[in-house]
Amino acid sequence: MPDASRPAASASASPRRSWADTLKVYAEPASLRMLALGFSAGLPLLLVLGTLSFWLRKAGIDRSTIGYMSWVGLAYAFKWVWSPLVDRLPLPVLHGWLGRRRSWLLLAQGLIIGGLLGMAFTDPQQDLNRMVWCALAVAFGSATQDIALDAFRIESANAERQAALAATYQTGYRLAMIWAGAGALWLVAAALQGTTTYVHGAWQLAYGVMAASMLVGVCTVLLSPEPAGRAQTPARNLGEWLREALVAPFVDFVRRYGWQAILILALIGIYRISDVVMGIMANPFYVDMGYSEGEVATVSKVFGVIMTLVGAFIGGVISMRIGVMRVLMLGAVLSAASNLLFAWLSTRGHDLTGLTLVVSADNLAGGIASAAFIAYLSSLTNVQYSATQYALFSSMMMLAPKWLAGFSGAFVDVHGYATFFVGTACLGLPVLLLVALASRIKTTSSA
């Protein structure tokens, strides 16, 4: 069991090891479990953001409304609010059967399945409000799953294996995105049988299948061992419990890093801003450029996600070889630069070759950045408060980008896609300075 008096992982480079030993980590049981659980985590995200935005645009919903609906994703940005409950509150019945981490995972997965079924049986043309509420249920369940899953991952292996777990998690996550993106669009295209008109029944089928796909995560939770987390002393009263659950994790982080905590939190808050803001308008962009469901499924949702897997693998391996911070800087540069390629693509009209090249470059950059960023966030947590602290970090990662992304549709309506994509690239420039400054901060242990 990891020592709770130190952070869960180190952002510095680990000691040199052979390439065989480095790659062997990916075949360990903990890594394989994270592959399946990463699939469970990655499935809901596109279904309430990316694929949903494609569905809404095909249903005739305007871009501004689609942009504002992306605020459903703010559930991920505020998950730190209830993360202490997930971190410390035992669930009746389920806790005794599955343990703390797995019981919360199972509860969250049940909520996701119910929300996806609700979306499947709702036509946005007829009842957009109901669609919003069902999407919120999916997002809330998904955010809760992320809280428990991040703690599960951090507690499942020692510090030097966190980069490998992050990479296998990302692999499963991206495989789920292929299925939730390309798979859903292929199901819709097959149901439409060549028709170009909007048919709600096709989307109902696709989202019903997606709900059933969450059983991958359910089965993995039921078959996985509960990680050996740190034993917790029962609170003597409610006030003591609230202090330990809500206040102590944040005090611990500030105490360890002092004023440098502000710099770290600033970096976390905007590291993925270029990708997140741009991503909300990606699917409406494909629809408006005339790409069909099949073309988007093949290029963006399959080939692009495969490139993300390659990027995640590269990011995980080189993070263990040269250190997380160097890869973090590389990912920041590539992510911002790749958005400029979308600006170029917007001038090409319907260009399938150009789409393939741009999506490949963008997803490769995103995979490298994601693997390094997850390892970096893991390095900041104290195992004693792993779920709460990681939820705080990953929530901050989404807050500013998701809020800003809500205005993306209105911006495109006024200024066009090319200006929008250039603007999202410029949003990544401050990230480079913050990474450079954060690289000077040494991970500190808790007394």
Side-chain angles (χ1 to χ4, degrees), residues 122-137:
T122 302
D123 186 346
Q125 286 185 337
Q126 305 298 324
D127 195 346
L128 189 58
N129 287 335
R130 182 181 172 188
M131 178 65 78
V132 171
W133 285 110
C134 290
L136 276 172

Side-chain angles (χ1 to χ4, degrees), residues 43 113 116-117 179 206-218:
L43 192 72
I113 292 172
L116 288 175
L117 290 174
W179 183 231
Y207 269 67
V209 172
M210 294 302 115
S213 301
M214 280 298 298
L215 293 176
V216 171
V218 171

Side-chain angles (χ1 to χ4, degrees), residues 121-358:
F121 288 94
T122 302
D123 186 346
Q125 286 185 337
Q126 305 298 324
D127 195 346
L128 189 58
N129 287 335
R130 182 181 172 188
M131 178 65 78
V132 171
W133 285 110
C134 290
L136 276 172
V138 175
F140 181 79
S142 178
T144 303
Q145 179 183 226
D146 287 350
I147 296 168
L149 184 50
D150 290 331
F152 185 95
R153 172 176 52 80
I154 291 169
E155 294 172 359
S156 293
N158 58 22
E160 64 179 8
R161 282 170 166 75
Q162 286 299 321
L165 292 190
T168 53
Y169 169 88
Q170 281 292 303
T171 301
Y173 197 98
R174 299 300 173 174
L175 287 173
M177 293 183 76
I178 291 179
W179 183 231
L185 293 180
W186 278 332
L187 288 169
V188 170
L192 291 175
Q193 297 181 340
T195 3
T196 57
T197 56
Y198 169 73
V199 178
H200 171 247
W203 291 95
Q204 183 179 81
L205 168 68
Y207 269 67
V209 172
M210 294 302 115
S213 301
M214 280 298 298
L215 293 176
V216 171
V218 171
C219 292
T220 304
V221 167
L222 294 176
L223 297 175
S224 297
E226 178 75 2
R230 180 181 184 272
Q232 296 177 346
T233 305
R236 289 172 294 182
N237 52 59
L238 179 60
E240 183 178 275
W241 187 90
L242 289 173
R243 283 194 300 273
E244 184 65 19
L246 300 175
V247 179
F250 304 106
V251 171
D252 168 78
F253 177 71
V254 173
R255 182 175 60 81
R256 283 190 286 123
Y257 291 100
W259 68 267
Q260 293 176 325
I262 298 174
L263 174 60
I264 294 172
L265 294 177
L267 171 60
I268 293 171
I270 67 169
Y271 184 74
R272 301 309 307 275
I273 194 167
S274 292
D275 289 343
V276 173
V277 175
M278 185 278 291
I280 296 302
M281 281 295 110
N283 278 315
F285 170 69
Y286 300 147
V287 173
D288 292 341
M289 291 294 105
Y291 296 106
S292 68
E293 286 92 346
E295 290 171 335
V296 174
T298 301
V299 176
S300 178
K301 309 303 182 183
V302 175
F303 189 74
V305 176
I306 290 173
M307 294 304 293
T308 305
L309 297 179
V310 174
F313 178 80
I314 292 172
V317 170
I318 62 178
S319 290
M320 289 189 289
R321 301 289 297 183
I322 67 174
V324 170
M325 297 309 296
R326 289 189 179 96
V327 183
L328 206 64
M329 177 64 82
L330 175 64
V333 172
L334 294 178
S335 294
S338 63
N339 284 13
L340 296 176
L341 296 177
F342 277 93
W344 168 78
L345 184 64
S346 69
T347 66
R348 304 280 297 175
H350 185 279
D351 182 353
L352 198 57
T353 301
L355 178 67
T356 303
L357 294 174
V358 171

